[in-house]
Structure formats: C-alpha cells, structure tokens
C-alpha cells in the first residue's frame, strides 16, 4: 500500500491487486449466475445455458486452473460482467439481447475448456458471425444474422465452431491462421527475466470498455508496427522507469489498438472494471508511447485500489449538481473522483518525463523538459485545489499529501528557460480558456458593469468580488492547443503547423499559431479584428490576454484576461446584443482590470 500511496508500487503490490481483482470478478460472476439462472427464458431464445457454462468452467478449473484464470482475468471479462449485471438490473441499455450478453459466459467457458485441453460441447452466441474466444482467437462464420447461437465442440486438441452458413476448425495450438480462424496475437517485450508478454487485443467484443464491438483484425504490417513501437517504448521504460516496468510486466495484460490520432494528441483509455487492459493509438515515437503506458497504468492501479478502499466519501447533497473542478488535462469540468484519477495518472507521467529528460537525445530533450515542466505544475495546481477536501477519506488524504510532498520537491528542479516559458504559457492558456468556456458571471452584475461602462464610470469592484457560476459548456474542445503548438515548435520549428491559415492543429485559431511562432503584435491585430467585427470563437479573450502580455502598457489588461476572461466575454456580448456596440477589446479589458483593489474570487 505504501508504494501505491507514493504513486508507484512494485511487482508484489501488483500481485496483491491482481488477487483482489480476481476475488472481485468471482463475486460478480456468482451474482451474475444467481440472476441469470433465475430469469425467465423467452420462447424464441436459443439453447444457451448459464448453468452449463458454469459447470464447464468448474471442470476446466479442476484440470487447469491457469486456463480459467486466463479468461477470468482478461480485461474484457471485467467489462462484460459489470455491464451484464447492469443490464439485468435494468440500469443500462444494450443493443444486444439479454441472452447474447449472458451467453458470453459460455464463450469464456469454451475458451477455458479448450485451453485446458478437455473435451466439451457448448452453445455460444455469435455477433454477426464472430465468436471471440479470449486468449485463443476469433472464428468468423459466413452469416447475415446479427445474433445467432453456434455450437463449439472441443476434443482436447481442436475446436469446431458450427453455425448458420458453415463451420470453422481451429487447432491444434490455436496459433495458426486457417480459413475463418484468426488467432490471438501475443507480443513479447524485452528479453530474459525482464521480458513481458501481453495480448494485442483485436477480437474481444468488450475490449473497448464502452459496449460490444465487432472484431478488428490488424494487417501483418500493422501488427509489426505495434511490435516495433511497444518494443521501443519498453526499452525506454526499462532504462528510465525500471520499478514501474516491473509492475507493468506483472499487471499489463493487453493492448487494444485504436486508430492513430493527431500528432501530439495520442488517444488512450482504461477502465477500473478491466484491470490490465489499455486502449491506445499508435504513437509518434517510443517515449510518447512509454508516457502513455505509464499514464494508463496509473489509472489501472488506482482503480484497483479504489475497489479495495475508497478515497472519496459520497457527496451529501440535496440537489443533483455535483461539485466540479478544473483539471489542467481535460476540456470539461471534473468531479472530485475524476480529478483524483487525473492527478494520480499525471503524477506518473511527470515522474516519467523527469527521468527521461536526463536520458533523451539532444534533439528530443527540449520536448522532455517541456513535458516535465507542464505536468509538474498541472499536478501541483490540481493537488492544491483539493488536498484538504472534506469528502476525502483518510486514505484519500494520505495519498494526496504523499503526492504533494514529492511534487513539491520537483517544483524546485530547474528547467531550461525556453521550455519553462512555453510550459507556463500553455498552462495559463488552458486555465483561461477553461474559464472562458465554463464560468458565467451573474447577469445582474454584468448589467451593472455594462451600465458603468456606457456612463464612462470606473468599473465597479463587483467584477473582482462577484463570483462566477460554473455552467459546463459541452462545446469546449481542444483547450490544449497552446501546448500542442509548443510541442510542434520544439520539435519542428517552421513546420506546416506555423502557417496561420493551414489549420494543422485542431482547435488552434490563427492567433494561436501566431503566438506560438512568437509574433504577438500580429496575434493582437488578428484578435482585435475578430472581436470588433465578427463572432469570435470562445477562447478569444483568453488568447488576447497572452497576445498583449508583452506590452508593458497592457499589463493590467493581460492579467485580467488571463484570470477572468469570462467577464470580458459576458460584457462584450451584452454590449453587442443590447446596444449594438463593439468596444475596443484591449480598452475594455484594461477598464475591467482597473477596479478598486480587492481579492480575486477563488478559482
């Protein structure tokens, strides 16, 4: 437990978490069996039996316990059993009939029995002709039916999957591709005692954590690319994070490939219900994938810990509005539970970049320094916002205080000037854009401020003292554009990203690109024109705050816009809507910032 509280945890800790997760899975399966055997079967349901599947699992357990553990601890099994219980309780909608969802237990039993080498016959569900057997492979039958029941027969060496339209035979060994049979790919990372073996998951219908998906088999070229990328990432982790690599060697079970994303915006996900499973896009390089693996494995560990002991008490609220927070790595406001997950994940990311920046080659080191500075400050900011929160349990308090002590030490570590400046700008940009999207001043106060502006009076102090309410904006996206542009600048100065009209970085307006290229005057002119004549994108006021930051005469305006851009947006929008007035944006920001001295509102 001590290692987990400090943001790490070695192999022995992972073994304990795996044991706890195994017990949890068995309890959930028992609950599913009780509910599944007690439900009324529809007249048109195929002859699938939860009871028969359970009996076959018990037979396989006697012959080869490791085979049953293999299917029991597959990440998709955790996703499936939780979603199946929710569906039986009526708490979730699934397009699959209940018999198909429950029938996945038969699929698991068939896979375990085949791996155990025992003879059996069992009916299992097929989704559009596909029958995925965890750890073995996937049979694809020619059929036009969305849902069907097929018979799986094993003789200890081979499998025969028979259904509408044909039959597929697999084995012996399951690893050879035959007509209709796609074997599970396994990857070996590293060599000798530090080598890891994991599944490249293409077939499990519950591999994506969000419901059943059809299989997506990679081409040989794609599979080779993944082997190469993961192998490179593993070598980086062995060198820079040996303790974390040993934990991953024991606890990382499968990688599910997803389509490649935009450069410097890799996609990844994990789920507390699917211990050891990670969904990730093919990265740009090994260090990026290494950081992503660390990120998601932190989520995996914390999710398992929270299954054992909670970090947060339930909210005692009479309304339905949860308390939400700014997360420097997200576009949307996050509840306390989600913020803790992000803190823990990005603490691991910061630790990785801290180690890697000392080992990276000269061309890559600036980016590593930038990533360390950016996430160090992001984690510290988030920690400072919730360390003493009343809903934290004793374990939650202990965990956050432990992370804060370590992070406080990192704050004193030097970062080269340019990389440090870019990291500060990226953090300030995200925070200001987030406020402009999600915070709303009270309409009454905005009206008061508008009247003062139109009368030529001093801005009332209510701008500083008046709180803004949090109203999540579903349209907020790509708030990390400044950070992405900084990464491009550090790795490829003058590349295609630097064209203001090309739109190479999603979410980056021309003014953002001009700022990334260092042209503040041009960015100011671009933003001023937008705010005077058109309908500016949300985030324009925050960006203007950065654009005028280099002007000594506009320090007040810059400071105000980076702290409270939501006020400038609200006042300007009211002036346009009610009076048709489009004020000079820099003059308005300077006027708003020159209120009577007073405390800025929290947050």
């Amino acid at each position: 437990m001590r290692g987990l509280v400090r943001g790490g945890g070695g192999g022995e800790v992972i073994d304990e978490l795996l044991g706890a997760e195994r017990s949890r899975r068995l309890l959930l399966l028992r609950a599913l069996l009780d509910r599944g055997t007690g439900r009324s079967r529809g007249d048109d349901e195929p002859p699938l039996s939860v009871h028969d599947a359970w009996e076959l699992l018990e037979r396989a357990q006697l012959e080869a316990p490791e085979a049953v553990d293999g299917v029991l601890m597959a990440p998709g099994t955790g996703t499936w059993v939780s979603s199946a219980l929710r569906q039986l309780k009526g708490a979730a909608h699934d397009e699959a009939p209940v018999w198909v969802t429950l029938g996945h237990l038969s699929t698991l039993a068939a896979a375990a029995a085949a791996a155990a080498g025992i003879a059996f016959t069992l009916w299992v569900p097929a989704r559009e002709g596909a029958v995925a057997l965890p750890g073995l492979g996937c049979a694809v039958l020619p059929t036009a039916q969305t849902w069907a029941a097929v018979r799986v027969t094993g003789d200890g060496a081979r499998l025969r999957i028979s259904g509408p339209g044909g039959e597929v035979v697999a084995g012996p060994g399951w690893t050879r591709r035959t007509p209709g049979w796609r074997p599970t790919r396994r990857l070996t990372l590293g060599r000798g005692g530090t080598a890891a073996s994991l599944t490249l998951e293409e077939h499990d219908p519950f591999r994506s954590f969000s419901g059943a998906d059809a299989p997506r088999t990679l081409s040989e070229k794609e599979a080779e690319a993944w082997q190469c990328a993961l192998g490179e990432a593993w070598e980086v982790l062995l060198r820079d994070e040996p303790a974390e690599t040993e934990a991953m060697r024991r606890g990382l079970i499968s990688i599910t490939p997803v389509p490649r994303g935009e450069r410097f915006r890799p996609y990844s996900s994990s789920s507390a219900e699917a211990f050891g499973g990670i969904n990730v896009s093919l990265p740009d390089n090994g260090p990026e994938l290494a950081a992503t693996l660390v990120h998601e494995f932190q989520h995996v560990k914390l999710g398992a810990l929270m299954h054992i002991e909670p970090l947060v008490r339930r909210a005692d609220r009479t309304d339905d509005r949860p308390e939400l927070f700014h997360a420097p790595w997200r576009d949307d406001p996050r509840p306390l539970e989600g913020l803790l997950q992000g803190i823990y994940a990005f603490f691991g990311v910061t630790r990785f970049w801290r180690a890697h920046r000392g080992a990276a080659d000269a061309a890559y080191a600036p980016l590593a320094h930038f990533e360390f500075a950016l996430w160090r400050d992001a984690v510290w900011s988030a920690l400072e916002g919730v360390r003493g929160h009343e809903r934290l349990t004793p374990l939650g308090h202990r965990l956050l205080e432990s992370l804060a002590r370590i992070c406080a030490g990192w704050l004193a570590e030097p970062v080269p000037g340019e990389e440090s400046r870019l990291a500060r700008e990226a953090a300030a940009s995200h925070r200001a854009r987030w406020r402009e999207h999600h915070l709303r001043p009270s309409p009454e106060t905005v009206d008061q401020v508008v009247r003062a502006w139109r009368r030529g009076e001093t801005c009332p102090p209510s701008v500083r003292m008046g709180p803004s309410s949090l109203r999540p904006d579903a349209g907020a996206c790509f708030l990390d554009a400044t950070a992405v542009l900084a990464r491009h600048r550090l790795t490829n100065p003058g590349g295609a990203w630097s064209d203001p009209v090309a739109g190479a970085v999603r979410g980056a307006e021309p003014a953002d690109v001009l700022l990334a290229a260092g042209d503040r005057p041009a960015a100011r002119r671009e933003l001023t024109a937008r705010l005077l004549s058109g309908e500016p994108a949300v985030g324009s006021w925050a960006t203007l705050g950065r654009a005028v930051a280099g002007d000594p005469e506009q320090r007040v305006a810059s400071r105000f816009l980076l702290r409270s851009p939501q006020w400038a947006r609200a006042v300007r929008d009211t002036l346009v809507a009610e009076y048709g007035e489009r004020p000079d944006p820099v003059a308005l920001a300077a006027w708003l910032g020159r209120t009577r001295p007073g405390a800025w509102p929290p947050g």
Side-chain angles (χ1 to χ4, degrees), residues 20 36 40 114-115 132 183 228 233 371 394 551 577:
S40 300
C228 181
E371 299 290 0
D551 185 346

Side-chain angles (χ1 to χ4, degrees), residues 68-111:
V68 175
D69 277 354
V71 298
L72 176 67
M73 295 307 296
T77 300
T79 305
W80 160 72
V81 69
S82 297
S83 62
L85 283 169
R86 288 193 294 269
Q87 186 177 2
L88 286 176
K89 294 175 181 177
H93 172 72
D94 194 317
E95 64 177 9
V98 174
W99 68 266
V100 172
T101 304
L102 285 177
H104 191 68
L105 182 63
S106 299
T107 304
L108 300 181

Side-chain angles (χ1 to χ4, degrees), residues 44-55:
D44 58 344
E45 288 190 16
L48 274 69
S49 169
V50 173
H51 181 74
D52 290 349
W54 191 266
E55 282 193 341

